[in-house]
């Protein structure tokens, strides 16, 4: 018997075009594939990170998102990863529900922080940005 494990980020036949695009972005972010990220995102994406979450504010454009938000957030932690486990296609919006896995120090235990990402999709299928809500209390409790 073949024991192939399927990741939630793998494409499945029932995925809509927009869900496939959002999954592709999560994969590209995990592998830090800058060329693919730029192909998937619009030229000036908007990251609306919920107030209360570390570095929570609105970031506009690639340089603010990747040179501002992610750079500042990653400076606070040892490891950080987003693990979506459910996708809901609402047409021009795809919602991803999941958990961040964070370790704050090299020897620290991982902490799970629930999130909801609402990804906007434009008419050409490119991702306009994200509206993020997360359990900030869990982030700060770790």
């Amino acid at each position: 018997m073949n024991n192939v494990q399927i990741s939630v980020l793998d494409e499945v036949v029932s995925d809509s075009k927009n869900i496939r695009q959002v999954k592709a972005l999560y994969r590209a972010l995990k592998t830090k594939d800058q060329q693919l990220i730029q192909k998937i995102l619009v030229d000036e994406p908007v990251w609306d990170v919920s107030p209360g979450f570390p570095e929570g504010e609105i970031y506009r454009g690639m340089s603010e998102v990747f040179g501002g938000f992610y750079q500042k957030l990653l400076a606070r932690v040892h490891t950080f990863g987003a693990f979506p486990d459910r996708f809901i296609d609402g047409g021009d919006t795809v919602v991803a529900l999941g958990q961040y896995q964070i370790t704050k120090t090299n020897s620290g235990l991982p902490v799970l922080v629930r999130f909801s990402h609402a990804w906007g999709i434009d008419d050409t299928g490119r991702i306009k940005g994200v509206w993020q809500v997360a359990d900030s209390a869990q982030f700060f409790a770790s």
Side-chain angles (χ1 to χ4, degrees):
M1 186 184 248
N2 191 353
N3 287 336
V4 176
Q5 185 171 352
I6 296 176
S7 164
V8 72
L9 292 180
D10 291 340
E11 291 182 11
V12 295
V13 175
S14 61
D15 284 346
S16 68
K17 176 182 153 191
N18 289 343
I19 287 177
R20 286 192 305 272
Q21 187 76 325
V22 169
K23 285 182 174 183
L25 180 60
Y26 280 108
R27 289 191 306 267
L29 290 168
K30 283 185 186 309
T31 61
K32 299 180 176 131
D33 184 337
Q34 292 298 320
Q35 282 186 318
L36 186 54
I37 291 168
Q38 288 181 357
K39 182 180 173 186
I40 293 170
L41 294 175
V42 297
D43 294 337
E44 293 294 316
V46 175
W47 255 231
D48 188 339
V49 181
S50 61
F53 193 77
E55 311 311 328
E57 62 183 84
I58 297 174
Y59 299 86
R60 290 180 169 78
M62 296 284 199
S63 63
E64 283 189 16
V65 170
F66 295 100
F69 170 65
Y70 282 114
Q71 194 170 49
K72 292 187 280 186
L73 178 64
L74 294 174
R76 291 174 165 258
V77 298
H78 179 67
T79 64
F80 178 88
F83 297 90
D85 54 33
R86 184 165 182 207
F87 297 89
I88 305 158
D89 188 345
D92 63 353
T93 302
V94 171
V95 175
L97 304 175
Q99 297 182 34
Y100 296 125
Q101 184 172 313
I102 301 164
T103 56
K104 288 207 174 174
T105 64
N106 189 27
S107 60
L109 294 174
V111 174
L112 299 178
V113 176
R114 289 177 23 173
F115 71 74
S116 174
H117 293 158
W119 297 98
I121 313 289
D122 76 6
D123 294 341
T124 67
R126 292 177 77 193
I127 296 175
K128 299 186 290 186
V130 67
W131 187 79
Q132 177 261 22
V133 177
D135 185 358
S136 303
Q138 290 301 312
F139 181 93
F140 290 110
S142 63

